[in-house]
Amino acid sequence: MMFRPLALIALLSFSVAACGRDPPAAPRPANTPAASAPAPSSPGASASAATAPQAVEQTSGEAAQAQETGDSGSDSRGDTALERLAALTPAQQPPAGRWKVGTHYIPLLPAQPTSAAPGKVEVVEVFWYGCPHCYALEPYLESWDKSKPSYVEFMRVPVMWSGVHRAHARLYYTLEALGRSDLHKAVFDTIHGRSNMLVSNDDARTLEMDVAFAQAHGIEPEAFKKAWNSFSVNSSLQRAEELTRRYKVEGVPLVVINGKYISDVGHAGGQNELVALIKDLTASENHR
């Protein structure tokens, strides 16, 4: 996995080390079923990707390497973000307090519509199953999700950069369509704990690997295949593609708060800090 710095965001020099938008090559088809023999690790994957701990508290220095990034070569959010922010009315300004705009989080300009119900505050995590940083953050978000206020709606969106990302996104939405979102952690564990990427260079083989995973967790193969090819899953993939563009996602994991603010582990200063930031910004949004 190749690491390189994230482009400047909103005139800041904060950077993270991460893999590029082009993912590691998918593993070649294995000769044995995925359920019994893990697929080989991708050639470019680092050792840490296969052994990323389930919950690792990061120091502020380590947090600077806690994101997988795309490689656009430029800041797609533009150098005028903070200038535009300064032009907002007082009622539109981000909340003051512990968290500093431009340091701990970035305004998403223009703000994007959310899918949350009226009176609710939406939190979106953009992630990739193959990202070790997403894997390390997952227990923190899972714990927060269980205790979050009733006014917060949390949703995950798989990033849609390339074929490998799209294949993992299809698996995510297939499990969701089958009512088996409880297997979200199991997918992460399979990829990072067992070095089985659950994706191949061949679409048919990818489906076989996904079916083997699903069957090992009690899902009938035909039911899985039907959902995998369903209209609802394809629609969800189109929506994820749209959100990846709308949020201008250059790195994951990325958190979007109420369509207005974005942050990540590096900006917040750590995993616990990111959760604290989410709590504070959602509370502020709820009182507006």
Side-chain angles (χ1 to χ4, degrees), residues 82 85-86 88-97 99-102 105-109 260-261 281 284-285 288:
L82 294 186
L85 179 65
L88 297 178
T89 67
Q92 295 173 317
Q93 290 288 338
W99 309 108
K100 306 302 180 184
V101 62
Y105 65 100
I106 305 296
L108 186 58
L109 299 174
K260 296 168 67 174
Y261 313 121
L281 288 185
S284 175
E285 286 295 297
R288 283 180 182 264

Side-chain angles (χ1 to χ4, degrees), residues 91-141:
Q92 295 173 317
Q93 290 288 338
R98 171 186 178 186
W99 309 108
K100 306 302 180 184
V101 62
T103 299
H104 299 110
Y105 65 100
I106 305 296
L108 186 58
L109 299 174
Q112 297 298 312
T114 73
S115 59
K120 300 289 187 178
V121 177
E122 181 184 82
V123 175
V124 175
E125 181 209 11
V126 186
F127 77 99
W128 173 40
Y129 275 134
C131 166
H133 312 302
C134 298
Y135 181 48
L137 178 62
E138 177 60 25
Y140 296 86
L141 290 181

Side-chain angles (χ1 to χ4, degrees), residues 14-15 45 68 73 79 123 159 214 235 262:
F14 178 84
S15 64
E68 301 231 351
D79 289 343
V123 175
V159 74
S235 296
I262 61 173

Side-chain angles (χ1 to χ4, degrees), residues 2-229:
M2 185 174 180
F3 287 87
R4 43 189 175 275
L6 178 65
L8 293 177
I9 295 181
L11 300 178
L12 300 176
S13 60
F14 178 84
S15 64
V16 294
C19 77
R21 182 185 290 263
D22 293 333
R28 289 175 296 178
N31 294 323
T32 54
S36 60
S41 299
S42 54
S46 66
S48 62
T51 59
Q54 194 169 345
V56 179
E57 177 60 22
Q58 294 174 316
T59 65
S60 58
E62 290 169 334
Q65 298 187 11
Q67 192 185 36
E68 301 231 351
T69 67
D71 187 28
S72 64
S74 64
D75 176 15
S76 60
R77 275 177 275 273
D79 289 343
T80 61
L82 294 186
E83 294 176 11
R84 295 169 62 192
L85 179 65
L88 297 178
T89 67
Q92 295 173 317
Q93 290 288 338
R98 171 186 178 186
W99 309 108
K100 306 302 180 184
V101 62
T103 299
H104 299 110
Y105 65 100
I106 305 296
L108 186 58
L109 299 174
Q112 297 298 312
T114 73
S115 59
K120 300 289 187 178
V121 177
E122 181 184 82
V123 175
V124 175
E125 181 209 11
V126 186
F127 77 99
W128 173 40
Y129 275 134
C131 166
H133 312 302
C134 298
Y135 181 48
L137 178 62
E138 177 60 25
Y140 296 86
L141 290 181
E142 183 68 23
S143 177
W144 163 77
D145 185 32
K146 292 177 180 178
S147 60
K148 70 182 186 303
S150 60
Y151 61 79
V152 175
E153 291 189 359
F154 177 50
M155 63 180 288
R156 294 181 174 92
V157 173
V159 74
M160 298 284 283
W161 284 331
S162 71
V164 171
H165 301 104
R166 290 183 179 88
H168 282 158
R170 184 175 289 277
L171 174 58
Y172 172 79
Y173 285 122
T174 299
L175 294 174
E176 185 179 75
L178 290 167
R180 294 303 308 271
S181 294
D182 60 298
L183 294 178
H184 182 66
K185 179 180 180 296
V187 176
F188 267 127
D189 288 343
T190 298
I191 291 173
H192 297 281
R194 296 173 55 192
S195 301
N196 179 358
M197 283 294 287
L198 293 173
V199 67
S200 170
N201 289 323
D202 178 71
D203 289 344
R205 176 57 184 152
T206 293
L207 177 57
E208 289 179 9
M209 297 170 77
D210 288 353
V211 166
F213 168 85
Q215 190 170 17
H217 291 86
I219 299 174
E220 290 296 323
E222 289 308 311
F224 183 89
K225 291 177 183 178
K226 183 177 180 180
W228 198 83
N229 286 303

